[in-house]
Amino acid sequence: MAITAEMVKNLREKTGAGMMDCKAALAETGGDMEKHWISFARRVLLPLPKASRTASDGCVSSYIHAGGKIGVLIEVNCETDFVARTDDFQNLVKDLAMHVAASNPLFVKREDVPAAVVEREKAFTSIKYAP
């Protein structure tokens, strides 16, 4: 299947990645829109150079929905305390807590996740980047 400019444009709009990364991910999968995510992850998402840095600072926030039946406690880490203390970061953490409550998560604890789901996710994250 030929890779069209429209396909590259659509992938770029969905991911925000560079045009050449999107084109390469689509070319690697022959334009298969279902399989391009694995190729895209290998090329763009996994090799982030900051991924090996330790995020030891951050903040904890909570959200309790009206009626008190749904509550979320969330911790978001960052690399420095300077970032953790900013109003933007604090607002981000509060917003994320609200979004988690709205998303209706399937599992609360790591132990609750079925083995099949864990294996599926491990298969996706074990993709190695080869420059």
Side-chain angles (χ1 to χ4, degrees), residues 57-99:
D57 290 297
C59 72
V60 175
S61 186
S62 64
Y63 172 77
I64 306 296
H65 191 64
K69 292 184 178 182
I70 298 172
V72 172
L73 185 62
I74 189 168
E75 176 184 6
V76 179
N77 294 325
C78 58
E79 291 180 10
T80 67
D81 63 330
F82 299 108
V83 172
R85 290 184 290 188
T86 64
D87 289 337
D88 286 341
F89 188 80
Q90 300 284 323
N91 290 334
L92 170 70
V93 176
K94 289 177 184 176
D95 287 346
L96 287 173
M98 190 181 329
H99 283 282

Side-chain angles (χ1 to χ4, degrees), residues 7-88:
M7 293 168 72
V8 174
K9 180 183 172 208
N10 288 339
L11 182 57
R12 187 166 189 219
E13 287 173 355
K14 288 179 185 176
T15 61
M19 183 179 70
M20 295 309 292
D21 288 326
C22 293
K23 183 177 179 182
L26 288 167
E28 189 173 313
T29 61
D32 186 337
M33 294 302 283
E34 295 299 318
K35 293 181 182 176
H36 79 275
W37 287 112
I38 294 173
S39 174
F40 181 76
R42 187 180 319 121
R43 291 183 163 281
V44 179
L45 301 178
L46 294 179
L48 297 174
K50 291 186 177 185
S52 62
R53 294 186 184 175
T54 303
S56 58
D57 290 297
C59 72
V60 175
S61 186
S62 64
Y63 172 77
I64 306 296
H65 191 64
K69 292 184 178 182
I70 298 172
V72 172
L73 185 62
I74 189 168
E75 176 184 6
V76 179
N77 294 325
C78 58
E79 291 180 10
T80 67
D81 63 330
F82 299 108
V83 172
R85 290 184 290 188
T86 64
D87 289 337
D88 286 341

